[in-house]
Amino acid sequence: MKPPAPHVEGSFEHDPGHVPVMLNEVLSALRPHDGGRYLDATFGGGGYAQAILQAADCAVWGIDRDPDALARGRVIADRVNAAGRARLHLLNGTFGDMANLAGPHGPYDGIVLDIGVSSYQIDEAARGFSFRHDGPLDMRMSRSGRSAADWVNGESEQDLADVIYHYGEERMSRRIARAIVVARQEAPIGTTAQLAAIVRRVVRPDRSGIDPATRTFQALRIAVNDELGELKRALEQAPSLLAEAGSLTIVTFHSLEDRLVKHTLAQLAGRQSRPSRYEPTIDQGRNTTPFKLGQVRPLTASEAEVRRNPRARSAKLRSLIRLSTSDTAAGKHS
């Protein structure tokens, strides 16, 4: 059995502007051990990767599509690999293509995904992810392809409303889409401040205190980067990359992602929900699926972490474990 991962808060070198969310819970799920191979499929600021390397004498492969993240990663790799043995390997691409990018280097004793936008991207006005900093309306994680400005200035009113409703779960989506179309007829919408102002004119603040533009910005970011498509592809590929006893650990930040992860992991673990709570559970015999859930209910950040890092408030962690061959044959599931 692998030893539990140590509590490493504050014990590894990282940029103080980047705080990896639920770090100790992630390490507890991954249980890094000497000689292991791990995949940080959303490298970002490198917080998880560095903590894994600190916790055990192992190797990590990191995937990211953001050239800025890869540049930061190369600095980290130069330091980590300075002893002459490569422990951190960087791969340029999307986590939805992990089978092609990282598959040849596996199987992995642990894979971690932190879904969504990084603090670096949010805090840099020029990236255009946040309405709190006026900048170009961009939102492209890879810095290539169609930008958010292309979307708001080029999509039909109906398509804009659909994206804002489905990806932002925004009830006022049609009103917002109409306001965008009216505004762009006067002049193209090119900045985050312009778009936020348009949304705020037609959506009143609610009791939650959340800015009215939050859900619209979330929706556009997801659409621009095909985030749900990437997550679906990752969930299809990641389980096959796990070694025996390996853990797939996923941190999500909003309900769309969490529902997708919850449903997929439950299916992989052989936990099919009943059509109705009044339907009896059917005993289908011994469950021989090669996976089990790491926990039935998602883990959430502690109150202390939320106080230190408000971004952790909405985080949920779910995990899936590949069973050993003997455990699968014996039908050992929890």
Side-chain angles (χ1 to χ4, degrees):
M1 180 180 294
K2 300 174 188 177
H7 184 98
V8 300
E9 183 176 356
S11 65
F12 67 99
E13 184 177 347
H14 71 284
D15 186 330
H18 172 72
V19 182
V21 171
M22 297 185 68
L23 175 60
N24 289 299
E25 291 83 354
V26 166
L27 288 175
S28 180
L30 293 176
R31 294 179 176 269
H33 65 279
D34 291 353
R37 290 171 175 248
Y38 299 89
L39 175 60
D40 182 350
T42 51
F43 184 80
Y48 293 142
Q50 291 184 87
I52 293 168
L53 292 169
Q54 176 73 23
D57 184 11
C58 58
V60 174
W61 280 258
I63 297 175
D64 211 294
R65 66 170 113 175
D66 188 334
D68 292 354
L70 293 171
R72 288 190 297 269
R74 284 190 287 272
V75 174
I76 297 171
D78 287 344
R79 184 180 71 248
V80 170
N81 301 337
R85 184 165 60 90
R87 298 183 65 208
L88 176 60
H89 311 263
L90 300 174
L91 304 168
N92 182 5
T94 63
F95 63 86
D97 193 31
M98 67 170 68
N100 289 326
L101 294 170
H105 309 290
Y108 295 94
D109 298 287
I111 300 173
V112 60
L113 290 165
D114 177 349
I115 309 302
V117 65
S118 78
S119 54
Y120 286 108
Q121 292 164 333
I122 292 174
D123 294 338
E124 187 178 343
R127 301 300 301 271
F129 282 94
S130 175
F131 49 79
R132 293 186 176 88
H133 312 285
D134 189 18
L137 191 57
D138 193 319
M139 301 192 188
R140 295 172 298 176
M141 291 182 178
S142 64
R143 291 187 178 270
S144 63
R146 296 182 71 199
S147 68
D150 294 329
W151 273 82
V152 299
N153 291 298
E155 294 295 314
S156 68
E157 182 177 335
Q158 181 63 55
D159 287 346
L160 283 171
D162 287 346
V163 163
I164 294 168
Y165 179 78
H166 291 295
Y167 293 166
E169 300 181 294
E170 172 59 75
R171 293 181 296 113
M172 299 290 108
S173 60
R174 294 189 183 279
R175 186 181 298 178
I176 294 167
R178 172 95 289 258
I180 288 173
V181 170
V182 170
R184 76 190 188 191
Q185 290 172 349
E186 302 262 336
I189 302 168
T191 70
T192 56
Q194 283 178 283
L195 178 60
I198 292 167
V199 177
R200 291 170 185 148
R201 283 199 295 268
V202 296
V203 180
R204 294 181 178 179
D206 59 26
R207 294 179 180 178
S208 70
I210 296 174
D211 191 291
T214 300
R215 289 180 287 272
T216 297
F217 270 68
Q218 171 186 295
L220 286 172
R221 191 201 80 220
I222 291 173
V224 166
N225 297 289
D226 188 25
E227 291 180 32
L228 290 180
E230 291 294 335
L231 179 56
K232 289 176 183 177
R233 289 186 285 275
L235 289 169
E236 291 171 355
Q237 298 169 34
S240 66
L241 301 182
L242 288 174
E244 287 192 1
S247 169
L248 169 60
T249 301
I250 305 174
V251 179
T252 60
F253 292 90
H254 62 74
S255 58
L256 286 175
E257 300 162 345
D258 182 59
R259 282 198 296 268
L260 179 56
V261 172
K262 175 184 177 181
H263 177 72
T264 303
L265 298 193
Q267 281 192 322
L268 288 165
R271 289 174 170 264
Q272 296 291 343
S273 59
R274 286 175 284 171
S276 165
R277 63 191 175 106
Y278 300 107
E279 290 286 334
T281 301
I282 300 174
D283 184 2
Q284 297 177 333
R286 179 179 291 172
N287 187 347
T288 57
T289 175
F291 302 102
K292 70 173 183 177
L293 296 178
Q295 60 284 127
V296 176
R297 295 183 181 277
L299 301 180
T300 57
S302 67
E303 292 183 5
E305 178 174 1
V306 171
R307 285 196 297 270
R308 294 192 305 269
N309 180 15
R311 181 175 178 251
R313 180 176 293 107
S314 59
K316 291 184 178 181
L317 183 152
R318 297 183 187 273
S319 63
L320 182 78
I321 300 170
R322 176 180 281 278
L323 298 170
S324 67
T325 303
S326 58
D327 284 344
T328 301
K332 292 183 179 179
H333 294 77
S334 60

